Amino acid sequence: MILLICEGRGVFTKKEFGQNEFLLPYEGELLEKEPDVDDTYIFEFTFKGKPYWVDASKEDGSFGRLLNDDHIHPNCRPKVMEIDEKPVICFFSLRPLSSNTELVYDYGPGNIYPWRGKVITPLHMLIVEVFVI
């Protein structure tokens, strides 16, 4: 096994990878009609000019559905490949990756991702008021 699941949701490498190496597929049910469900694990893409969706909402032991978003510093990217005349989403490394690196990719543009609006302030920048009674 090349990848391992850490606490919570996230996929981490178990070995080193070079740049542009295949990492893993995004597996699920391939749909040709837009699903009418919660889109938490829906991957939308275009292949040969036609829209497709992969519904990975079922817990099936696959890892691609568990990759987290990082629109600022992604380390992998999805690429649509044709396998047996069907589109398959595969993730490839953007740069060399060391062991124990979390795989993250850019989910895409927009403000539909609520976690992107969170601002994390480093501890050394926090101003704390202390009241002595």
Side-chain angles (χ1 to χ4, degrees):
M1 180 66 63
I2 296 173
L3 305 170
L4 67 105
I5 299 291
C6 187
E7 291 181 30
R9 296 291 200 193
V11 179
F12 292 75
T13 61
K14 194 171 179 179
K15 72 175 199 84
E16 293 181 355
F17 287 91
Q19 185 172 350
N20 296 318
E21 270 196 69
F22 169 76
L23 300 169
L24 72 165
Y26 190 91
E27 298 177 276
E29 181 182 0
L30 181 64
L31 306 172
E32 295 184 29
K33 291 184 178 181
E34 186 170 2
D36 187 26
V37 296
D38 175 22
D39 65 353
T40 303
Y41 294 103
I42 304 291
F43 197 113
E44 181 179 353
F45 65 100
T46 302
F47 178 70
K48 294 186 176 179
K50 184 177 175 188
Y52 287 90
W53 296 262
V54 173
D55 180 356
S57 57
K58 293 181 182 172
E59 291 280 353
D60 63 359
S62 64
F63 295 127
R65 64 190 294 276
L66 303 177
L67 269 62
N68 286 316
D69 175 49
D70 188 335
H71 66 291
I72 298 171
H73 302 291
N75 58 21
C76 61
R77 66 178 169 83
K79 182 176 180 182
V80 180
M81 309 292 290
E82 184 172 3
I83 301 174
D84 295 330
E85 299 181 16
K86 293 184 181 181
V88 176
I89 300 165
C90 296
F91 285 93
F92 291 84
S93 56
L94 288 171
R95 58 182 172 272
L97 303 173
S98 59
S99 182
N100 298 315
T101 299
E102 182 178 11
L103 297 178
V104 291
Y105 73 102
D106 184 352
Y107 283 9
N111 295 324
I112 61 171
Y113 309 107
W115 57 88
R116 287 187 179 177
K118 294 181 181 177
V119 177
I120 299 173
T121 305
L123 286 177
H124 70 277
M125 295 184 70
L126 289 177
I127 298 173
V128 180
E129 292 184 31
V130 178
F131 296 95
V132 179
I133 301 179

